[in-house]
Amino acid sequence: MNTTSATLAPVFTFLEHTLTTAQTTFNKLPGSAVIQRYVKSSHQNDPGRTLLELILVIFAIRTLLQSRTRADRNGKNFIQFSEKEIDELVDEWIPEPLGNALTANEQSDLASAPIISGPNGPKPKLAATGKNALNLASYNFTGLAGNEHIKQRAIDTLRKYGLGSCGPPGFYGTLDVHMDLENDIADFLGTEAAILYSQGFSTISSVIPAFCKRGDIIVADRAVNFAIQKGIQISRSTIRWFDHNDLNSLEEVLIGIEKERKKRRGPMTRRFIVTEGIFQKDGAMVDLPKLIELKYKYKYRLILDESYSFGSVGRTGRGLTELYNVPASKVDMLLGSCAIGLASAGGFCAGSRTVVDHQRINGPSFVFSASMPALLAVSASEGINILRNTPSIFETLQDNVRAARAILDRVDCITIPSHPASPIIHIYVRQPQSHQYLQYPAPISASSSSSSAKHHHSHHVSAKDAVRDAEYEVEERLLQEVVEETLSHGVIVTRAKRLKGQEIVEPRPSIRLTLTSGLTKKETEKAVNVLKTVLVKVLSKRR
Amino acid sequence: MALSKSNKSSSIFNKKRSSNATGALPASAASYLSALSEADASARKRNVSPTSTPALSLSSSITSSSEDTILHEPEYLRDPLLASNKDGLLLPARPPTSEQVFNTVHTEFGHCADERYRTTSQHKLGTPLAPHVEQDPPYYILLSTYISYLILIVLGHVRDFIGKRLNPKRYKHLMPGGGYAPLNSDFDSFYTRRLKTRMDECFSQPVTGVAGRTILLLDRYSPDYNHTQILTGTRTRALNISSYNYLGFAQARGPCADAVEESIKRYGISSLGARLDAGTTDLHVVSEALVAKFVGMEDALISSMGFATNSTYIPALVGKGCLVISDEFNHASIRFGVRISGAHVRMFRHNDMRALEALLKEVISQGQPKTHRPWKKILVIVEGLYSMEGTLVNLPAIMELKKKYKFYLYVDEAHSIGALGPHGRGVADYFGVNPREIDLLMGTFTKSFGAAGGYIAGSKALIDVLRVHGHSGAYAEAMAPPVLTQVVSSMASIMGLQVAAGDTTTTGNGNGIVEEQVYHHPGPAPINSIPSWVHLPPALASGQEGSSRLRRLAFNARYLHNGLIKLGFITYGHPSSPIVPLLLFNPGKMNMFHRLMKERKTPIVVVVVAYPATPLVTSRVRFCVSAAHTKEDVDCVLKACVEVGDVLDLRHGIPVRERWSLEEVVERAVELGTME
C-alpha cells in the first residue's frame, strides 16, 4: 500500500502542478473571474444545472464543428456498411445511360425539322431543296423580319456597341439602349415601367418565382404553356387549376379557395391568376374584361402571358389590352416576347414600378444572366416604332387570318380550337367517334394540393391514359405526314411540338399555322389551299 | 499583333472584306499609314515634353485625314473633352514605333506589343492541383465585420419600427392593404431595403458603348439616399476591369464586327422561332459543328441564353430516381435546372474531393432514400472556373473518381471556355484531359467570345436527345444570326483556319513530344467550317492573333493575381484564373472601394459582391482581367489598389517583410506573370 503511494507520489505532484498552472493561466485570461463566479454560484444553487450546461456547451461545439454539407448519417434509414461492403456495392452499381436513345419517331421528327438556307422570313429558301417556300411556321406576325430599316439601325448599333454586353445587368451590363427599350415598351403598352429579359422563353419562368413563394396561391389555366408550367413548379406555391379557357370554372375555383381560407382562418397570402392571352397550345383567346372583373372581385393579381398576343392582335399590335380596350395598367404583370412579337429577341414584363423594380433583384434569369446584345434591343425598339406608325400591318394580318379561316373552316376532317382572330391557328384531326375524352383532362400527376385524393383513382386513369397516348401517337403520325407532304408542295407548316411526358397535361397533337403580314392575302390563300388539299388527301386515307 | 509595315499589300487594312467590296481600298490603306505616322510623330512629341505640349488626340488626328480607316473612332470620341486623354485611357502609355501597326481601337482593345508580357495558360502535367487555401484576416477585421452587420440590422429594424408609425405611407407597398397581401413583405425585403440600398451606387450602373478595355459610364446621382437614381447626361470613361470580356472580343471594330455586319445584311436579325419549328438556319448548323470542334466533342447544341442552357437542358438529363451531386458554389442556373428536373440533389463542400468521394460512397451504398433502391444514374455537376471564387475545379481528381464511381460528369465552363488552356479550350485543355472522357461540356458565349447565349456539347446521341427532350428545342427562340456570326468569327480566330488540306503546322505546341495519354486538342479548323462570306484577315485566320490574346490574358491574370498577393492583399482563387477576387470583409468598405476607384484620375470601375452571393463575412471586389488590358492597365489597377487599400486598411495578406513595394511589383512584372 505504502509502496504504491510512494511510486505514485511524483505523478500526484505532477498533476497538482499542472492543475495549478492551468488555474493561474485561466485566471490570467480576461473575464475568467466572471465565469468562475458564475459556475461556482450556479453549482451551489443546483449541481444538476452544471451538468446540463456542460452538456449544452458540448452540444453547441459539436454542432459548430459539423460540416455544412454533412452526410445524412443520422437518419432512420441509414444502414451501416463496412468499407468492403461499400466497395462491393460501388462495383456492382450499374447506372442507366445518361440519355435514353431516341425512338424511331423522334429521330425522324428531328431529321425532318426544316433547315433554312439564308435568312428566315415569309418566303425562305430551304436548304434541302434549294427552293423557296411559303412559310406558315415561323413567328413573324408583323412581317418585320428582313426589314431594311431595322437592319441598318442594327448595323449602326453594332458599330457603336459591339455585339455582346459582357455582363449581367447588375454589373455594367445595363446599356442605355436597354433602358430605352424598356421605356419604349412601357410607353407603348401604357404601363408605368417594364423590365427586359434576354430570352422570351425564360421570362415567365423567372417572373413567377420572383413573386410567388411557398404558401402563396396560384390559380392557373390547365393548358398554359410549358414555360409557365415550369415557373409554377419552381415557385413551390400552392397551385389550383381551372378548366381551359373557362372563366366560370375559374370563378368556381376562386370561390372554393375563399371558402377554404375562411374555414381555416389562415393568414392572408399572395394570390395570383396565371393565364395566357392567346394560348400557345391551341390559339384560344382569353376573355380579358371578364378576367379583370374576376381578379378585382376576388382580389387576385393577374399574371398574363401575352407572348403570342403581343405584336399579333389589336389595332397596332399592343395585344389583348388593345383588342378589348382595357388599360394595360389593370394587368399586374403583363408579359410579352420581343422574339415573337417584334422579330428580335428577348422578353419583357410590364407593370407598375414596384412590380418591375422587385424583379430587378429577384428575377433569377434577370439577375444571373447577361443582358441582351445591344443591337437586338435596338431592333426591338425600332420594331415598336414601326408598329406604332403602321396600323396597316395588322389590317393585312387580320385579312390573312380571315382568308385562312374561310378556307379551313370548311374542311370537315379537322377541327380548329383557335379564336377566329388569332393569327396562330391550330388544326386537330376530327375525332371519328364522339369525344372519348376531354381536350384537357384533369391533370393526374400535377402537384395539386389535393393530390392525395387524386392518387386514389390514378390506377384506372392510367389505363385510359395508355389508350389516349396510343391514339395521340396515331394522330401525330398522320399530322406529320401532312406536314411533310405540304412541305414537298412548297409550304412550310409545323406540327405543334410538345415535350412528351414532361407536360402537366399532354396536349392534343395539332398542326400549328402562324400567319404573317409578310405574305399577301393571295399568297396566304395559296398556301392554305395547299395545306387543305393535303389534309383532305391524307386524312381521308385513314378511314 | 505587331505586323510589319511591309504587309502593305495584304488585306488587314480593309475595313470590310465582304465579297462585294469594291475599290478605294488601297487609298484608305495609304491614308491609314500616313495618319498613323502622323499620330506616331505627335505621340512621340508628347512623350518628350508631356507638360508643355497640349494633349493630342490620336483619334482626331486620324479622322481629320482619313474617314475610312480601321482606327476610325466612334463619333462620341471626337468630343474634345473626352478625347483629351487626361485620364490616360485613350492613348497607349508607350507610343507605337514605326514597326508596330495595331489594328484595334485602343479604348476597346489595348495596344501592347511587348512579347515579354505573355504567358501560356497550362497546368503542369502530372502535378496535383494545389489546394485552395483561404487566408484568414486578423480577428479584429472579422469582429468589426460582424459588428457592422449587427449595427446595420439593428439600425434597419429601428428605422422600420419608427418609420411604420411616423410615415406609414412609405411602407404601404409592404403592408397588406385592400384585401391584398403585399407583393413583398417587409421581412423578405429587409436585406434589400436596409442593406443593399445603402450601396446601390455600386450596382446596375448604366453604361454605353463597347464593354471593352474601357467603358463609358452614364453618370448618375441620387437625391434621396439611393431610392431613385437620376442620370446627369454626362459620361465618364473608365478602365473596365469588370466585364466578362476575357479575350477582348467585345469590339465594335475589327474583322469579327465586319462579319457580324455582313451577317445582318444576309440573314437579318432574327431566326423567327424555336429550333424544331423552322427556326433553324444553315448558320446554326455550321456554328454547332464549329463549337463541337472547338471544345473537342462529337456534337454541340447552341441555346440563345446562357442561363437557359443549364435551366432547360439539365431537366432533360435527369429526373425522378436520379441523383445530382452539385458543388456548393454552383451557379443559380444549375440550381434552377436541377430543381425543375425533379432529381434528388446532394451538395459537397466547394472543390473538396475527399468530401465528394465520401458522399459518392455513401449515396451509392445507401441508394435512394427510404427505398434503398439503387440510383438510376448519378450526375456530378461542377463548374470549370467558379465565378465568385476564381477557383478551378480539380478536374484530374474528378476524372479519377469518375472511373471508380461510374457517375456522369457535367462541367459548366461558363467562365473557363476561351479563358483557360494553352488553346483556350477550357479546363480540359488546361489540365490536359481528353474532353471526350467528360460526358457533357456546357459553356457560354457571353464571356470570352463577346457574344451571348450558350452551348452544350457531348456525344452525338446525347446531344440529339437534348435537341428533342430539352425545353429549348421545342419552345425557346433560336439564337439570332448576328450573335451566331460573332461566335463563329471569334471562335475561328482562336482556332485558326486550315488554309490548305493537310497543313496542320500553324498551331499546336510544336514541342514534338507525343505522349500517349495526353490529349491534343484539334488544331486549326478547316476553312469550310465557317461560312464562305466570313472573311478573316491573315492575322486572325492563322490563329496568331487568337494565340496572342490567350497568352496576353494568361499573363494579365497571373500578373494581377500575384501582384496583389505580393502587395499584401488577400485574394482567392487560382493564379491562372482571369477572375481575381480581392477580399474586403467589412460591408462599409465595399461602397468606399468602389467610389475611390471610380473617382481617381484614371477612373476604374469594379464589381463588388457581398452576401448573399458570397458568405456573409467575405465581401469582396472581383476583378475580371481581359486580354484587352495592357500591362500598364494592370499596373494602374495595382497602383490604385495600393492607394485605396492603404486608406481602407485592406492589406492583411502575407507578412510585411515578405511584401514587395509597388515599384518592385511593376518592375518584376514578367517574373510575376509566369510565377505559379
PDB file of all heavy atoms in Angstrom, chain A residues 238-264:
ATOM      1  N   THR A 238     -48.802  26.958 -53.788  1.00  0.00           N
ATOM      2  CA  THR A 238     -49.940  26.054 -53.873  1.00  0.00           C
ATOM      3  C   THR A 238     -50.642  26.334 -55.191  1.00  0.00           C
ATOM      4  O   THR A 238     -50.921  27.489 -55.509  1.00  0.00           O
ATOM      5  CB  THR A 238     -50.915  26.341 -52.726  1.00  0.00           C
ATOM      6  OG1 THR A 238     -50.167  26.336 -51.524  1.00  0.00           O
ATOM      7  CG2 THR A 238     -52.015  25.315 -52.670  1.00  0.00           C
ATOM      8  N   ILE A 239     -50.904  25.275 -55.950  1.00  0.00           N
ATOM      9  CA  ILE A 239     -51.450  25.504 -57.291  1.00  0.00           C
ATOM     10  C   ILE A 239     -52.835  24.903 -57.429  1.00  0.00           C
ATOM     11  O   ILE A 239     -53.077  23.792 -57.001  1.00  0.00           O
ATOM     12  CB  ILE A 239     -50.455  24.996 -58.365  1.00  0.00           C
ATOM     13  CG1 ILE A 239     -51.080  24.956 -59.758  1.00  0.00           C
ATOM     14  CG2 ILE A 239     -49.913  23.622 -58.031  1.00  0.00           C
ATOM     15  CD1 ILE A 239     -51.147  26.278 -60.402  1.00  0.00           C
ATOM     16  N   ARG A 240     -53.751  25.676 -57.992  1.00  0.00           N
ATOM     17  CA  ARG A 240     -55.095  25.165 -58.336  1.00  0.00           C
ATOM     18  C   ARG A 240     -55.301  25.418 -59.817  1.00  0.00           C
ATOM     19  O   ARG A 240     -54.969  26.494 -60.307  1.00  0.00           O
ATOM     20  CB  ARG A 240     -56.181  25.906 -57.552  1.00  0.00           C
ATOM     21  CG  ARG A 240     -56.076  25.776 -56.067  1.00  0.00           C
ATOM     22  CD  ARG A 240     -56.259  24.329 -55.660  1.00  0.00           C
ATOM     23  NE  ARG A 240     -55.802  24.118 -54.313  1.00  0.00           N
ATOM     24  CZ  ARG A 240     -56.566  24.329 -53.247  1.00  0.00           C
ATOM     25  NH1 ARG A 240     -57.795  24.745 -53.377  1.00  0.00           N
ATOM     26  NH2 ARG A 240     -56.089  24.117 -52.049  1.00  0.00           N
ATOM     27  N   TRP A 241     -55.867  24.422 -60.484  1.00  0.00           N
ATOM     28  CA  TRP A 241     -56.080  24.558 -61.929  1.00  0.00           C
ATOM     29  C   TRP A 241     -57.544  24.842 -62.214  1.00  0.00           C
ATOM     30  O   TRP A 241     -58.419  24.360 -61.522  1.00  0.00           O
ATOM     31  CB  TRP A 241     -55.677  23.287 -62.661  1.00  0.00           C
ATOM     32  CG  TRP A 241     -54.259  22.874 -62.425  1.00  0.00           C
ATOM     33  CD1 TRP A 241     -53.832  21.940 -61.540  1.00  0.00           C
ATOM     34  CD2 TRP A 241     -53.107  23.375 -63.076  1.00  0.00           C
ATOM     35  NE1 TRP A 241     -52.464  21.825 -61.594  1.00  0.00           N
ATOM     36  CE2 TRP A 241     -51.993  22.696 -62.535  1.00  0.00           C
ATOM     37  CE3 TRP A 241     -52.888  24.332 -64.070  1.00  0.00           C
ATOM     38  CZ2 TRP A 241     -50.693  22.940 -62.940  1.00  0.00           C
ATOM     39  CZ3 TRP A 241     -51.588  24.570 -64.477  1.00  0.00           C
ATOM     40  CH2 TRP A 241     -50.509  23.880 -63.921  1.00  0.00           C
ATOM     41  N   PHE A 242     -57.814  25.601 -63.243  1.00  0.00           N
ATOM     42  CA  PHE A 242     -59.198  25.709 -63.722  1.00  0.00           C
ATOM     43  C   PHE A 242     -59.260  25.236 -65.166  1.00  0.00           C
ATOM     44  O   PHE A 242     -58.243  25.163 -65.850  1.00  0.00           O
ATOM     45  CB  PHE A 242     -59.756  27.123 -63.543  1.00  0.00           C
ATOM     46  CG  PHE A 242     -59.094  28.206 -64.359  1.00  0.00           C
ATOM     47  CD1 PHE A 242     -59.572  28.553 -65.617  1.00  0.00           C
ATOM     48  CD2 PHE A 242     -58.008  28.910 -63.848  1.00  0.00           C
ATOM     49  CE1 PHE A 242     -58.978  29.567 -66.350  1.00  0.00           C
ATOM     50  CE2 PHE A 242     -57.403  29.918 -64.574  1.00  0.00           C
ATOM     51  CZ  PHE A 242     -57.881  30.246 -65.830  1.00  0.00           C
ATOM     52  N   ASP A 243     -60.481  24.881 -65.602  1.00  0.00           N
ATOM     53  CA  ASP A 243     -60.623  24.286 -66.936  1.00  0.00           C
ATOM     54  C   ASP A 243     -60.182  25.273 -67.995  1.00  0.00           C
ATOM     55  O   ASP A 243     -60.361  26.480 -67.870  1.00  0.00           O
ATOM     56  CB  ASP A 243     -62.070  23.859 -67.172  1.00  0.00           C
ATOM     57  CG  ASP A 243     -62.418  22.682 -66.290  1.00  0.00           C
ATOM     58  OD1 ASP A 243     -61.472  22.029 -65.807  1.00  0.00           O
ATOM     59  OD2 ASP A 243     -63.610  22.438 -66.059  1.00  0.00           O
ATOM     60  N   HIS A 244     -59.664  24.699 -69.067  1.00  0.00           N
ATOM     61  CA  HIS A 244     -59.045  25.519 -70.095  1.00  0.00           C
ATOM     62  C   HIS A 244     -59.996  26.578 -70.646  1.00  0.00           C
ATOM     63  O   HIS A 244     -61.065  26.267 -71.166  1.00  0.00           O
ATOM     64  CB  HIS A 244     -58.558  24.615 -71.229  1.00  0.00           C
ATOM     65  CG  HIS A 244     -57.990  25.388 -72.369  1.00  0.00           C
ATOM     66  ND1 HIS A 244     -57.176  26.481 -72.187  1.00  0.00           N
ATOM     67  CD2 HIS A 244     -58.118  25.232 -73.705  1.00  0.00           C
ATOM     68  CE1 HIS A 244     -56.831  26.960 -73.370  1.00  0.00           C
ATOM     69  NE2 HIS A 244     -57.396  26.225 -74.296  1.00  0.00           N
ATOM     70  N   ASN A 245     -59.572  27.832 -70.480  1.00  0.00           N
ATOM     71  CA  ASN A 245     -60.279  28.989 -71.018  1.00  0.00           C
ATOM     72  C   ASN A 245     -61.745  29.055 -70.577  1.00  0.00           C
ATOM     73  O   ASN A 245     -62.590  29.562 -71.294  1.00  0.00           O
ATOM     74  CB  ASN A 245     -60.193  28.996 -72.555  1.00  0.00           C
ATOM     75  CG  ASN A 245     -60.189  30.420 -73.085  1.00  0.00           C
ATOM     76  OD1 ASN A 245     -59.988  31.369 -72.318  1.00  0.00           O
ATOM     77  ND2 ASN A 245     -60.430  30.574 -74.365  1.00  0.00           N
ATOM     78  N   ASP A 246     -62.035  28.542 -69.399  1.00  0.00           N
ATOM     79  CA  ASP A 246     -63.399  28.541 -68.896  1.00  0.00           C
ATOM     80  C   ASP A 246     -63.443  29.428 -67.653  1.00  0.00           C
ATOM     81  O   ASP A 246     -63.032  29.015 -66.575  1.00  0.00           O
ATOM     82  CB  ASP A 246     -63.791  27.087 -68.570  1.00  0.00           C
ATOM     83  CG  ASP A 246     -65.226  27.005 -68.057  1.00  0.00           C
ATOM     84  OD1 ASP A 246     -65.820  28.069 -67.803  1.00  0.00           O
ATOM     85  OD2 ASP A 246     -65.716  25.879 -67.917  1.00  0.00           O
ATOM     86  N   LEU A 247     -63.912  30.633 -67.820  1.00  0.00           N
ATOM     87  CA  LEU A 247     -63.842  31.581 -66.707  1.00  0.00           C
ATOM     88  C   LEU A 247     -64.871  31.258 -65.624  1.00  0.00           C
ATOM     89  O   LEU A 247     -64.719  31.679 -64.481  1.00  0.00           O
ATOM     90  CB  LEU A 247     -63.983  33.012 -67.204  1.00  0.00           C
ATOM     91  CG  LEU A 247     -62.837  33.474 -68.118  1.00  0.00           C
ATOM     92  CD1 LEU A 247     -62.935  34.956 -68.405  1.00  0.00           C
ATOM     93  CD2 LEU A 247     -61.470  33.176 -67.521  1.00  0.00           C
ATOM     94  N   ASN A 248     -65.913  30.500 -65.990  1.00  0.00           N
ATOM     95  CA  ASN A 248     -66.843  30.056 -64.945  1.00  0.00           C
ATOM     96  C   ASN A 248     -66.147  29.075 -64.018  1.00  0.00           C
ATOM     97  O   ASN A 248     -66.313  29.127 -62.800  1.00  0.00           O
ATOM     98  CB  ASN A 248     -68.076  29.391 -65.565  1.00  0.00           C
ATOM     99  CG  ASN A 248     -68.893  30.405 -66.335  1.00  0.00           C
ATOM    100  OD1 ASN A 248     -68.942  31.579 -65.964  1.00  0.00           O
ATOM    101  ND2 ASN A 248     -69.512  29.959 -67.423  1.00  0.00           N
ATOM    102  N   SER A 249     -65.373  28.202 -64.628  1.00  0.00           N
ATOM    103  CA  SER A 249     -64.599  27.258 -63.821  1.00  0.00           C
ATOM    104  C   SER A 249     -63.618  28.024 -62.944  1.00  0.00           C
ATOM    105  O   SER A 249     -63.417  27.686 -61.776  1.00  0.00           O
ATOM    106  CB  SER A 249     -63.860  26.293 -64.744  1.00  0.00           C
ATOM    107  OG  SER A 249     -62.779  25.721 -64.081  1.00  0.00           O
ATOM    108  N   LEU A 250     -63.035  29.069 -63.498  1.00  0.00           N
ATOM    109  CA  LEU A 250     -62.104  29.892 -62.714  1.00  0.00           C
ATOM    110  C   LEU A 250     -62.819  30.457 -61.493  1.00  0.00           C
ATOM    111  O   LEU A 250     -62.315  30.396 -60.372  1.00  0.00           O
ATOM    112  CB  LEU A 250     -61.553  31.027 -63.579  1.00  0.00           C
ATOM    113  CG  LEU A 250     -60.789  32.123 -62.843  1.00  0.00           C
ATOM    114  CD1 LEU A 250     -59.531  31.582 -62.194  1.00  0.00           C
ATOM    115  CD2 LEU A 250     -60.411  33.270 -63.775  1.00  0.00           C
ATOM    116  N   GLU A 251     -64.029  30.990 -61.733  1.00  0.00           N
ATOM    117  CA  GLU A 251     -64.755  31.610 -60.623  1.00  0.00           C
ATOM    118  C   GLU A 251     -65.061  30.565 -59.549  1.00  0.00           C
ATOM    119  O   GLU A 251     -64.927  30.842 -58.361  1.00  0.00           O
ATOM    120  CB  GLU A 251     -66.041  32.267 -61.120  1.00  0.00           C
ATOM    121  CG  GLU A 251     -66.716  33.066 -60.028  1.00  0.00           C
ATOM    122  CD  GLU A 251     -67.633  34.160 -60.566  1.00  0.00           C
ATOM    123  OE1 GLU A 251     -67.983  34.099 -61.762  1.00  0.00           O
ATOM    124  OE2 GLU A 251     -67.997  35.045 -59.781  1.00  0.00           O
ATOM    125  N   GLU A 252     -65.438  29.367 -59.988  1.00  0.00           N
ATOM    126  CA  GLU A 252     -65.709  28.308 -59.006  1.00  0.00           C
ATOM    127  C   GLU A 252     -64.484  28.025 -58.146  1.00  0.00           C
ATOM    128  O   GLU A 252     -64.579  27.908 -56.926  1.00  0.00           O
ATOM    129  CB  GLU A 252     -66.115  27.014 -59.721  1.00  0.00           C
ATOM    130  CG  GLU A 252     -67.573  26.969 -60.121  1.00  0.00           C
ATOM    131  CD  GLU A 252     -67.832  25.860 -61.129  1.00  0.00           C
ATOM    132  OE1 GLU A 252     -67.072  24.852 -61.107  1.00  0.00           O
ATOM    133  OE2 GLU A 252     -68.753  26.008 -61.944  1.00  0.00           O
ATOM    134  N   VAL A 253     -63.335  27.945 -58.825  1.00  0.00           N
ATOM    135  CA  VAL A 253     -62.099  27.670 -58.084  1.00  0.00           C
ATOM    136  C   VAL A 253     -61.827  28.798 -57.091  1.00  0.00           C
ATOM    137  O   VAL A 253     -61.481  28.562 -55.928  1.00  0.00           O
ATOM    138  CB  VAL A 253     -60.912  27.493 -59.050  1.00  0.00           C
ATOM    139  CG1 VAL A 253     -59.610  27.393 -58.298  1.00  0.00           C
ATOM    140  CG2 VAL A 253     -61.109  26.262 -59.910  1.00  0.00           C
ATOM    141  N   LEU A 254     -62.040  30.035 -57.550  1.00  0.00           N
ATOM    142  CA  LEU A 254     -61.771  31.188 -56.678  1.00  0.00           C
ATOM    143  C   LEU A 254     -62.693  31.160 -55.462  1.00  0.00           C
ATOM    144  O   LEU A 254     -62.263  31.416 -54.329  1.00  0.00           O
ATOM    145  CB  LEU A 254     -61.950  32.492 -57.446  1.00  0.00           C
ATOM    146  CG  LEU A 254     -61.024  32.713 -58.644  1.00  0.00           C
ATOM    147  CD1 LEU A 254     -61.252  34.084 -59.262  1.00  0.00           C
ATOM    148  CD2 LEU A 254     -59.568  32.576 -58.242  1.00  0.00           C
ATOM    149  N   ILE A 255     -63.966  30.836 -55.691  1.00  0.00           N
ATOM    150  CA  ILE A 255     -64.916  30.765 -54.575  1.00  0.00           C
ATOM    151  C   ILE A 255     -64.488  29.661 -53.609  1.00  0.00           C
ATOM    152  O   ILE A 255     -64.489  29.848 -52.394  1.00  0.00           O
ATOM    153  CB  ILE A 255     -66.349  30.503 -55.103  1.00  0.00           C
ATOM    154  CG1 ILE A 255     -66.836  31.722 -55.896  1.00  0.00           C
ATOM    155  CG2 ILE A 255     -67.313  30.205 -53.958  1.00  0.00           C
ATOM    156  CD1 ILE A 255     -68.131  31.512 -56.643  1.00  0.00           C
ATOM    157  N   GLY A 256     -64.087  28.528 -54.188  1.00  0.00           N
ATOM    158  CA  GLY A 256     -63.654  27.396 -53.359  1.00  0.00           C
ATOM    159  C   GLY A 256     -62.480  27.777 -52.459  1.00  0.00           C
ATOM    160  O   GLY A 256     -62.471  27.462 -51.266  1.00  0.00           O
ATOM    161  N   ILE A 257     -61.536  28.483 -53.028  1.00  0.00           N
ATOM    162  CA  ILE A 257     -60.351  28.869 -52.243  1.00  0.00           C
ATOM    163  C   ILE A 257     -60.749  29.818 -51.122  1.00  0.00           C
ATOM    164  O   ILE A 257     -60.295  29.694 -49.981  1.00  0.00           O
ATOM    165  CB  ILE A 257     -59.307  29.538 -53.159  1.00  0.00           C
ATOM    166  CG1 ILE A 257     -58.758  28.525 -54.159  1.00  0.00           C
ATOM    167  CG2 ILE A 257     -58.166  30.130 -52.346  1.00  0.00           C
ATOM    168  CD1 ILE A 257     -57.869  29.129 -55.212  1.00  0.00           C
ATOM    169  N   GLU A 258     -61.640  30.738 -51.441  1.00  0.00           N
ATOM    170  CA  GLU A 258     -62.083  31.724 -50.452  1.00  0.00           C
ATOM    171  C   GLU A 258     -62.775  31.025 -49.281  1.00  0.00           C
ATOM    172  O   GLU A 258     -62.521  31.334 -48.117  1.00  0.00           O
ATOM    173  CB  GLU A 258     -63.026  32.727 -51.139  1.00  0.00           C
ATOM    174  CG  GLU A 258     -63.384  33.935 -50.299  1.00  0.00           C
ATOM    175  CD  GLU A 258     -62.160  34.734 -49.845  1.00  0.00           C
ATOM    176  OE1 GLU A 258     -61.141  34.716 -50.555  1.00  0.00           O
ATOM    177  OE2 GLU A 258     -62.233  35.332 -48.753  1.00  0.00           O
ATOM    178  N   LYS A 259     -63.613  30.045 -49.620  1.00  0.00           N
ATOM    179  CA  LYS A 259     -64.321  29.283 -48.580  1.00  0.00           C
ATOM    180  C   LYS A 259     -63.320  28.572 -47.673  1.00  0.00           C
ATOM    181  O   LYS A 259     -63.414  28.614 -46.453  1.00  0.00           O
ATOM    182  CB  LYS A 259     -65.219  28.232 -49.235  1.00  0.00           C
ATOM    183  CG  LYS A 259     -66.654  28.696 -49.445  1.00  0.00           C
ATOM    184  CD  LYS A 259     -67.492  27.501 -49.855  1.00  0.00           C
ATOM    185  CE  LYS A 259     -68.802  27.949 -50.467  1.00  0.00           C
ATOM    186  NZ  LYS A 259     -69.280  27.010 -51.484  1.00  0.00           N
ATOM    187  N   GLU A 260     -62.381  27.921 -48.333  1.00  0.00           N
ATOM    188  CA  GLU A 260     -61.379  27.172 -47.589  1.00  0.00           C
ATOM    189  C   GLU A 260     -60.608  28.078 -46.633  1.00  0.00           C
ATOM    190  O   GLU A 260     -60.360  27.717 -45.488  1.00  0.00           O
ATOM    191  CB  GLU A 260     -60.379  26.599 -48.606  1.00  0.00           C
ATOM    192  CG  GLU A 260     -60.050  25.140 -48.414  1.00  0.00           C
ATOM    193  CD  GLU A 260     -59.246  24.650 -49.598  1.00  0.00           C
ATOM    194  OE1 GLU A 260     -59.845  24.245 -50.627  1.00  0.00           O
ATOM    195  OE2 GLU A 260     -58.019  24.716 -49.513  1.00  0.00           O
ATOM    196  N   ARG A 261     -60.268  29.243 -47.144  1.00  0.00           N
ATOM    197  CA  ARG A 261     -59.481  30.175 -46.334  1.00  0.00           C
ATOM    198  C   ARG A 261     -60.282  30.620 -45.107  1.00  0.00           C
ATOM    199  O   ARG A 261     -59.764  30.706 -44.001  1.00  0.00           O
ATOM    200  CB  ARG A 261     -59.097  31.387 -47.175  1.00  0.00           C
ATOM    201  CG  ARG A 261     -58.095  32.295 -46.481  1.00  0.00           C
ATOM    202  CD  ARG A 261     -57.722  33.447 -47.372  1.00  0.00           C
ATOM    203  NE  ARG A 261     -58.782  34.449 -47.401  1.00  0.00           N
ATOM    204  CZ  ARG A 261     -58.876  35.438 -46.517  1.00  0.00           C
ATOM    205  NH1 ARG A 261     -58.003  35.556 -45.555  1.00  0.00           N
ATOM    206  NH2 ARG A 261     -59.862  36.309 -46.604  1.00  0.00           N
ATOM    207  N   LYS A 262     -61.579  30.884 -45.334  1.00  0.00           N
ATOM    208  CA  LYS A 262     -62.425  31.328 -44.218  1.00  0.00           C
ATOM    209  C   LYS A 262     -62.532  30.234 -43.174  1.00  0.00           C
ATOM    210  O   LYS A 262     -62.551  30.491 -41.978  1.00  0.00           O
ATOM    211  CB  LYS A 262     -63.804  31.714 -44.737  1.00  0.00           C
ATOM    212  CG  LYS A 262     -63.804  33.125 -45.288  1.00  0.00           C
ATOM    213  CD  LYS A 262     -65.191  33.639 -45.512  1.00  0.00           C
ATOM    214  CE  LYS A 262     -65.145  35.043 -46.081  1.00  0.00           C
ATOM    215  NZ  LYS A 262     -66.117  35.240 -47.144  1.00  0.00           N
ATOM    216  N   LYS A 263     -62.636  28.997 -43.687  1.00  0.00           N
ATOM    217  CA  LYS A 263     -62.782  27.885 -42.758  1.00  0.00           C
ATOM    218  C   LYS A 263     -61.522  27.730 -41.899  1.00  0.00           C
ATOM    219  O   LYS A 263     -61.590  27.542 -40.699  1.00  0.00           O
ATOM    220  CB  LYS A 263     -63.019  26.594 -43.562  1.00  0.00           C
ATOM    221  CG  LYS A 263     -63.889  25.596 -42.836  1.00  0.00           C
ATOM    222  CD  LYS A 263     -64.509  24.579 -43.768  1.00  0.00           C
ATOM    223  CE  LYS A 263     -63.520  23.645 -44.397  1.00  0.00           C
ATOM    224  NZ  LYS A 263     -64.085  22.763 -45.407  1.00  0.00           N
ATOM    225  N   ARG A 264     -60.385  27.862 -42.565  1.00  0.00           N
ATOM    226  CA  ARG A 264     -59.133  27.647 -41.839  1.00  0.00           C
ATOM    227  C   ARG A 264     -58.678  28.892 -41.094  1.00  0.00           C
ATOM    228  O   ARG A 264     -57.796  28.839 -40.267  1.00  0.00           O
ATOM    229  CB  ARG A 264     -58.036  27.240 -42.829  1.00  0.00           C
ATOM    230  CG  ARG A 264     -57.993  25.753 -43.063  1.00  0.00           C
ATOM    231  CD  ARG A 264     -56.729  25.425 -43.804  1.00  0.00           C
ATOM    232  NE  ARG A 264     -56.612  26.318 -44.971  1.00  0.00           N
ATOM    233  CZ  ARG A 264     -55.538  26.383 -45.723  1.00  0.00           C
ATOM    234  NH1 ARG A 264     -54.493  25.662 -45.416  1.00  0.00           N
ATOM    235  NH2 ARG A 264     -55.495  27.191 -46.760  1.00  0.00           N
TER     236      ARG A 264
END
